Amino acid sequence: MIRLHVQGDLAPGAAVAPTLDQSRYLTQVMRLKAGDELLVFNGRDGEWRVSVAEVLKKGVILRAEEQTRPQVYGPDLELIVAVVKKARVETIVEKAAELGAKRVRLALTHRTNADRLRLDRLDAIAEEAAEQTGRLDVPAVDDPVKLDALLDGWEDGRRLMFCDETGGAPAVSALTPFSPSPLWGGSSARSGDGVGATASTLPTRSLRDHPPHEGEGEGRWAILIGPEGGFSPEEGERLRSLPFTTAVSLGPRILRADTAAIAAMTLWQAAVGDWDR
């Protein structure tokens, strides 16, 4: 069934007005007519079955019929990615939404060299991915900010696992102590001499039992993906010196930014995320 992310409140009998683009999609692409049904969510009120109440010249009016799923939230996982080429950033945003990231933060590092990004397009990509994957919220995508500024304003209680190209513990071993249950069974993954990518993973609070912004610090994570060429020596030194940082490796191969993001989020989800539900 079609799923749409909408802005309005959802309650029994509520009228819901999709955007003009969404209305065109429903009537011109999917050929829906009055009485047809679809699913909608707004990130607050869960998922609802709605019906097409009216087809107007400029838009569609939907009517909320019943809630199909209550509101739940995924883990509090932030993906922080150094701005790289536009196509790769778009892939990263899409996969971050699919893999359950709550927020995507764009970072400017010493070696950032990238295309200009359109935040509205990235928002649309995140929204479409959320609609397709069945999640009940859409990850926010933030404007680019200097990495130093992000670290200066680091959130209290959010630990940082820094994937360091100069060396670190294997990511699997580093994640195991944070797992609610020992999923890895004492794996003896080899560390290798190199690091698979410039990526970092920051622990975040799990939202499986709690709404967002509840203030518990123990489950909050993030993943930091570096630029082409990696972090500068100064950035690496600062990251390793922070009291909340653990340096890790993603393996012996150098990964592109989009591959590194997918690999890091996958490891995190399997170890301490919501894949065990």
Side-chain angles (χ1 to χ4, degrees), residues 238-249:
R238 182 180 183 188
L239 287 165
R240 286 187 293 273
S241 71
L242 295 171
F244 47 81
T245 297
T246 301
V248 302
S249 164

Side-chain angles (χ1 to χ4, degrees), residues 160-187:
L160 167 59
M161 188 181 296
F162 163 46
C163 258
D164 182 4
E165 70 268 23
T166 66
V172 167
S173 301
L175 288 170
T176 300
F178 302 103
S179 177
S181 58
L183 302 181
W184 300 105
S187 170

Side-chain angles (χ1 to χ4, degrees), residues 8 17 26-27 48 87 100 128 147 158 181 200 223 234 240 255 264:
L26 293 176
T27 58
W48 285 72
E128 182 176 350
L147 177 62
R158 191 180 290 273
S181 58
S200 323
I223 296 171
E234 295 81 8
R240 286 187 293 273
L255 307 179

Side-chain angles (χ1 to χ4, degrees), residues 79 91-92 95-96 99 225 257-267:
L79 177 64
T91 297
I92 289 168
K95 301 312 174 187
L99 287 165
I225 305 298
D258 46 351
T259 308
I262 294 168
M265 285 188 289
T266 299
L267 287 168

Side-chain angles (χ1 to χ4, degrees), residues 175-241:
L175 288 170
T176 300
F178 302 103
S179 177
S181 58
L183 302 181
W184 300 105
S187 170
S188 57
R190 65 188 180 94
S191 62
D193 294 329
V195 168
T198 317
S200 323
T201 318
L202 316 167
T204 62
R205 129 182 88 88
S206 171
L207 296 180
R208 73 183 70 176
D209 299 315
H210 304 288
H213 314 304
E214 198 163 282
E216 296 184 7
E218 192 168 330
R220 287 172 288 177
W221 291 69
I223 296 171
L224 172 62
I225 305 298
E228 298 173 359
F231 294 102
S232 70
E234 295 81 8
E235 289 169 332
E237 183 178 353
R238 182 180 183 188
L239 287 165
R240 286 187 293 273
S241 71

